[in-house]
Amino acid sequence: MRHILLPTLKTLFCLPFLTSGQYGTRNEPMQLTRLTISRCNISLVESGAFYNFAELELIDLSHNALSHLGRTAFAPHLYRLRTLRLEHNRLTSLGEDFFEKLPELREVNLAFNRLTALPPLGSSPGVGQVLHLGANPWDCRCRLTWVVLEEPMDSARLIADLPACWTPAIVKNSTLFAGLKAVKETFC
């Protein structure tokens, strides 16, 4: 069996045997820049799971069984994270402050989940320059209208895959922006 010194790796793909405590200590940070743990049936990301991975620029947790993620799963130490791939999971919600403390985050893929709402993108200007939001049952009611109010939030920033409203029925199948604008003007 060949041993790999993890602190020297730049990219790590799914290692089903990798468990807490095997990848370093708080005194031994990892130099990984890309971490792909896809199709590994992960259902939970614990707070501080990426503590030793401060150099990460890409995290790919796609095609797993994640249903909820809070801010503490990735922040506050992932200041270089630029791409977060969470597509094809079972996400029903993201913590209200999920995007806070991720100042370099530019691309987020949330497509093919079960999300009905999206938390505010945070105060960092680059957060979410490209958001993949398609194939989610978006609830285009008043609580989501912040999307059309926030500047510089516009269709170029959000629409990478034409997400559509699922509810209420009056805007079902409308693009997210069109549906939210109609709801805002009519009900909010």
Side-chain angles (χ1 to χ4, degrees), residues 159-172:
I159 307 297
D161 51 5
L162 292 176
C165 295
W166 185 256
T167 56
I170 194 168
V171 294
K172 186 171 182 163

Side-chain angles (χ1 to χ4, degrees), residues 125-172:
V127 171
Q129 286 180 347
V130 178
L131 291 173
H132 300 273
L133 301 173
N136 281 291
W138 295 110
D139 183 1
C140 293
R141 297 179 201 263
C142 294
R143 68 182 175 150
L144 194 57
T145 57
W146 69 265
V147 171
V148 293
L149 298 173
E150 187 173 289
E151 294 295 332
M153 184 62 91
D154 58 23
S155 59
R157 185 175 182 190
L158 253 187
I159 307 297
D161 51 5
L162 292 176
C165 295
W166 185 256
T167 56
I170 194 168
V171 294
K172 186 171 182 163

Side-chain angles (χ1 to χ4, degrees), residues 37 39 41-43 60-69 85-92 109-115 136:
I37 306 176
R39 301 181 193 274
N41 204 31
I42 294 172
S43 60
D60 181 352
L61 295 172
S62 63
H63 298 274
N64 279 299
L66 297 169
S67 61
H68 176 79
L69 288 170
R85 296 193 56 199
L86 298 168
E87 72 270 19
H88 291 280
N89 273 285
R90 298 176 188 160
L91 291 171
T92 57
N109 194 332
L110 296 168
F112 295 95
N113 279 288
R114 299 173 184 166
L115 294 167
N136 281 291

